[in-house]
Amino acid sequence: MPQSSLYVLPPPATPCLAIDGSEQFFPVRRIYCVGRNYAEHAREMGADPSREAPFFFMKPGDAVVADGARLAYPGQTQDLHYEAELVVAIGGSGENLSAEQAKALVFGYAVGLDMTRRDLQAQAKKGGKPWDMAKGFDRSAPCSAIVPAARIGHPSAGRIQLHQNGELRQDADIADLIWSVPELLANLSSFVRLEPGDLVFTGTPAGVGPCVAGDALVASVDGVGKVSVQIVER
């Protein structure tokens, strides 16, 4: 890498997340997300919940937001939705991996919110266009501190919930994932090389819905943690 004095602009700061129980941080490289990975959510979105091959979309790394953030209601939407998700933090590199090889790359786990401009997503779907502006907008990826797998292992079951202003909206178990974490990572590694710093949002259960300025959102996964955000006016 060139010295910073050789850049025509100051290099951007590296987005990062706290590591639970540590003073160190996890640098975020890329954010991958998988769509419709819980059967009931697939049904509520009008899709077939069979085990078709998983599909992925992305958010920019700097869309990540730490726990406790205040999120300004984004522009260009009248239908902002929450989606609670288990998040996987990658600590190694590899491509064309088996499920077991992919599992070995996992550094830890977190809880995330895939914030979505649902009206823009619907327009994109109808027109056969990309979802980028529906999913990859600024501050669209709130995420809790990362809990190392060395401490908690690799959770394959545990309640995942979202509360909106104290009311339960999403309530499922990560055991209900259509594609397990190792399977998802192995499949993703056939398309791109996984690298340290990557985050993988593993899909959301049924119960997604709209939020407005003033709402408090709390997403949680048993044994992993929780992330809380406040939606505020722009």
Side-chain angles (χ1 to χ4, degrees):
M1 291 287 289
Q3 296 180 357
S4 59
S5 61
L6 299 181
Y7 291 108
V8 297
L9 298 171
T14 300
C16 62
L17 289 168
I19 297 174
D20 189 66
S22 172
E23 294 184 357
Q24 294 183 302
F25 291 86
F26 183 89
V28 177
R29 175 178 175 264
R30 294 178 177 174
I31 301 175
Y32 299 99
C33 306
V34 63
R36 298 196 296 262
N37 199 29
Y38 287 83
E40 289 303 313
H41 175 59
R43 292 188 185 100
E44 77 175 350
M45 299 303 290
D48 181 351
S50 62
R51 264 172 72 97
E52 63 179 355
F55 71 93
F56 301 93
F57 57 92
M58 295 183 68
K59 295 173 181 276
D62 62 3
V64 75
V65 181
D67 179 39
R70 291 165 61 86
L71 297 184
Y73 196 95
Q76 300 297 323
T77 184
Q78 301 297 318
D79 196 20
L80 178 68
H81 278 214
Y82 54 76
E83 298 188 11
E85 310 206 6
L86 174 70
V87 178
V88 184
I90 302 300
S93 61
E95 59 187 334
N96 297 315
L97 304 170
S98 69
E100 282 303 307
Q101 290 171 328
K103 183 177 177 180
L105 297 188
V106 175
F107 172 81
Y109 297 87
V111 184
L113 285 166
D114 169 15
M115 302 303 293
T116 302
R117 290 162 159 159
R118 190 70 73 202
D119 44 1
L120 295 193
Q121 185 186 33
Q123 293 168 19
K125 286 181 178 179
K126 185 176 180 179
K129 297 176 180 178
W131 293 5
D132 297 58
M133 294 300 101
K135 290 286 193 176
F137 54 94
D138 296 339
R139 298 171 68 79
S140 61
C143 197
S144 72
I146 296 168
V147 183
R151 188 198 312 169
I152 63 170
H154 297 276
S156 58
R159 201 171 187 184
I160 179 170
Q161 295 183 315
L162 182 131
H163 287 81
Q164 181 182 30
N165 303 323
E167 297 290 330
L168 183 62
R169 302 300 188 197
Q170 293 183 275
D171 189 11
D173 196 291
I174 60 173
D176 297 332
L177 286 166
I178 296 173
W179 292 91
S180 70
V181 168
E183 290 172 330
L184 280 177
L185 298 181
N187 186 279
L188 180 57
S189 78
S190 72
F191 293 98
V192 294
R193 183 176 181 85
L194 298 177
E195 295 287 359
D198 289 343
L199 297 178
V200 182
F201 281 57
T202 60
T204 195
V208 300
C211 50
V212 298
D215 281 352
L217 305 176
V218 181
S220 62
V221 176
D222 285 354
V224 177
K226 66 179 181 180
V227 60
S228 304
V229 298
Q230 183 84 28
I231 309 298
V232 299
E233 296 282 0
R234 286 186 66 79

